[in-house]
């Protein structure tokens, strides 16, 4: 009698965990759970800055994220997590299949442009929430982003990036590109002007909010075509499932997975750097006050 021993690949266990997470949290139906009333959804959109501005020349969806100006202070964390997962699911079920059909080849990833405008020491208060989002993506939506482009990066980001970069896995480091300034010139090499997010356009305040064709250019706005289509899709799905009983108001609660040890280390490193920068700022402010008093 022979006993055969099989060693399962770690990806197998990650897949099982992902499937269990989806079942336990009813993720398959999350696109039928609108955030209502609309004023609450608008508040979420105004404080969780993310949207889709177009496609790259290769056909990859361009996702814009306002890292520095997002405040996450207009609703409970559950609403923000629900909104984030809904966007992930809409991307995978609607946007990517649509791009595949539109460009005539398989499209399975996207490009993300992370705007660091407005990043401050106070962002430390949002670190826990961002860690939750990052863990959800890593465990349940892996390898969905081909490249992360960092734009409008202030000193605080550059200082943190120097210590965080060595902690990232090599494949993750290769995905991240820090562009100079708004990154417009570099981005134009891989996408048309109309697909560049509003915060990367240097043509005055008006052009950043309005596209050349007269549509809403601010891809964060609830009135942008992406968010209108997403919100209408969710309402339509809700109507199909809840045709007997009306949709109830309330957030869609999702279990938050435990972060990986490496992610915890990265979060602690970022927190440490932010605190150092905060202390340096306080010291600089105190020295300026002393100089004023001395004068």
């Amino acid at each position: 009698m022979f006993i055969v021993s099989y060693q399962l690949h770690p990806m197998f266990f990650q897949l099982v965990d992902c499937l269990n997470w989806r079942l336990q949290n009813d993720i398959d139906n999350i696109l039928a759970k609108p955030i209502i009333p609309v004023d609450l959804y608008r508040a979420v959109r105004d404080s969780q800055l993310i949207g889709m501005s177009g496609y790259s020349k290769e056909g990859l969806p361009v996702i814009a994220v306002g890292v520095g100006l997002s405040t996450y202070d207009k609703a409970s964390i559950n609403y923000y997590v629900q909104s984030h997962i809904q966007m992930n699911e809409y991307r995978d079920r609607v946007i990517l299949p649509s791009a595949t059909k539109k460009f005539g080849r398989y499209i399975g990833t996207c490009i993300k442009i992370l705007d660091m405008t407005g990043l401050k020491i106070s962002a430390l208060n949002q670190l826990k929430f961002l860690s939750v989002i990052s863990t959800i993506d890593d465990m349940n939506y892996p390898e969905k982003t081909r490249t992360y482009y960092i734009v409008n990066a202030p000193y605080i980001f550059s200082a943190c990036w120097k210590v965080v970069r060595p902690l990232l896995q090599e494949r993750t480091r290769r995905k991240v590109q820090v562009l100079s300034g708004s990154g417009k010139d570099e981005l134009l090499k891989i996408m048309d002007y109309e697909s560049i997010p509003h915060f990367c356009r240097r043509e005055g305040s008006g052009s950043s909010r309005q596209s050349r064709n007269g549509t809403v250019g601010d891809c964060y706005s609830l009135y942008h075509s992406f968010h209108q289509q997403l919100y209408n899709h969710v309402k339509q799905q809700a109507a199909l499932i809840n045709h007997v009983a009306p949709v109830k108001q309330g957030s869609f609660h999702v279990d938050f997975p435990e972060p990986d040890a490496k992610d915890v280390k990265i979060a602690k490193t970022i927190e440490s750097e932010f605190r150092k920068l905060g202390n340096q700022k306080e010291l600089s402010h105190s020295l300026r006050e002393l100089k004023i008093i001395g004068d």
Side-chain angles (χ1 to χ4, degrees):
M1 180 178 179
F2 294 96
I3 299 178
V4 181
S5 176
Y6 295 96
Q7 185 173 0
L8 297 175
H9 193 279
M11 287 296 292
F12 171 79
F13 296 104
Q14 183 176 353
L15 177 59
V16 171
D17 289 342
C18 176
L19 291 174
N20 285 333
W21 176 79
R22 295 187 68 87
L23 287 171
Q24 292 168 5
N25 294 284
D26 196 26
I27 299 299
D28 286 351
N29 289 320
I30 197 169
L31 285 180
K33 304 289 183 179
I35 296 176
I36 53 176
V38 69
D39 286 343
L40 175 60
Y41 186 66
R42 182 181 293 107
V44 171
R45 291 278 56 80
D46 289 344
S47 52
Q48 183 184 34
L49 304 180
I50 185 170
M52 178 178 160
S53 60
Y55 296 89
S56 72
K57 294 177 181 178
E58 292 184 83
L60 277 63
V62 178
I63 307 298
V65 185
V67 177
L69 294 176
S70 292
T71 56
Y72 308 104
D73 60 353
K74 304 298 183 183
S76 72
I77 187 173
N78 292 299
Y79 282 114
Y80 291 115
V81 171
Q82 176 182 348
S83 172
H84 181 80
I85 296 174
Q86 284 180 331
M87 288 194 187
N88 283 352
E89 292 290 317
Y90 187 71
R91 174 198 64 202
D92 293 351
R93 299 189 210 178
V94 179
I95 296 297
L96 292 176
S98 175
T100 295
K101 183 177 181 180
K102 178 179 180 179
F103 291 92
R105 68 180 188 85
Y106 175 70
I107 305 292
T109 57
C110 66
I111 289 172
K112 287 189 178 179
I113 303 178
L114 310 183
D115 180 23
M116 297 296 167
T117 298
L119 188 65
K120 299 177 181 177
I121 302 294
S122 58
L124 188 62
N125 300 327
Q126 303 159 13
L127 196 56
K128 183 178 180 180
F129 167 71
L130 295 175
S131 295
V132 168
I133 292 297
S134 176
T135 302
I136 288 175
D137 286 353
D138 289 345
M139 297 181 68
N140 303 290
Y141 303 95
E143 302 300 327
K144 285 295 183 179
T145 303
R146 177 185 289 186
T147 309
Y148 296 89
Y149 292 101
I150 310 295
V151 301
N152 299 320
Y155 171 75
I156 187 174
F157 169 81
S158 302
C160 289
W161 179 240
K162 288 179 181 178
V163 295
V164 170
R165 189 176 186 277
L167 301 178
L168 300 176
Q169 295 182 14
E170 179 59 29
R171 61 184 176 84
T172 302
R173 287 201 297 269
R174 287 198 300 265
K175 288 183 177 183
V176 180
Q177 294 190 30
V178 182
L179 304 183
S180 175
S182 69
K184 177 183 172 184
D185 293 339
E186 289 297 315
L187 293 174
L188 280 173
K189 296 176 182 178
I190 61 170
M191 66 187 71
D192 295 331
Y193 179 85
E194 288 299 330
S195 290
I196 292 179
H198 60 280
F199 50 78
C200 293
R201 303 177 185 181
R202 301 173 180 169
E203 298 178 10
S205 59
S207 64
S208 66
R209 300 293 171 178
Q210 198 80 7
S211 292
R212 290 173 176 173
N213 59 11
T215 59
V216 176
D218 182 351
C219 62
Y220 300 151
S221 171
L222 175 60
Y223 301 104
H224 188 273
S225 59
F226 168 74
H227 284 298
Q228 287 290 298
Q229 291 164 11
L230 168 58
Y231 197 61
N232 288 335
H233 178 85
V234 173
K235 289 195 296 183
Q236 290 168 6
Q237 294 301 307
L240 291 174
I241 293 179
N242 302 291
H243 61 280
V244 176
V247 178
K248 295 181 179 179
Q249 185 175 345
S251 61
F252 187 87
H253 292 269
V254 174
D255 293 333
F256 303 155
E258 289 295 322
D260 181 84
K262 291 182 179 179
D263 292 335
V264 172
K265 184 177 181 180
I266 290 172
K268 288 184 177 179
T269 301
I270 294 174
E271 181 177 1
S272 175
E273 287 302 308
F274 266 59
R275 293 195 185 283
K276 287 180 184 177
L277 291 169
N279 293 334
Q280 290 174 7
K281 185 176 181 181
E282 289 179 5
L283 177 60
S284 177
H285 179 69
S286 297
L287 290 173
R288 282 199 302 270
E289 287 186 338
L290 286 172
K291 186 177 183 300
I292 292 172
I293 293 173
D295 292 343

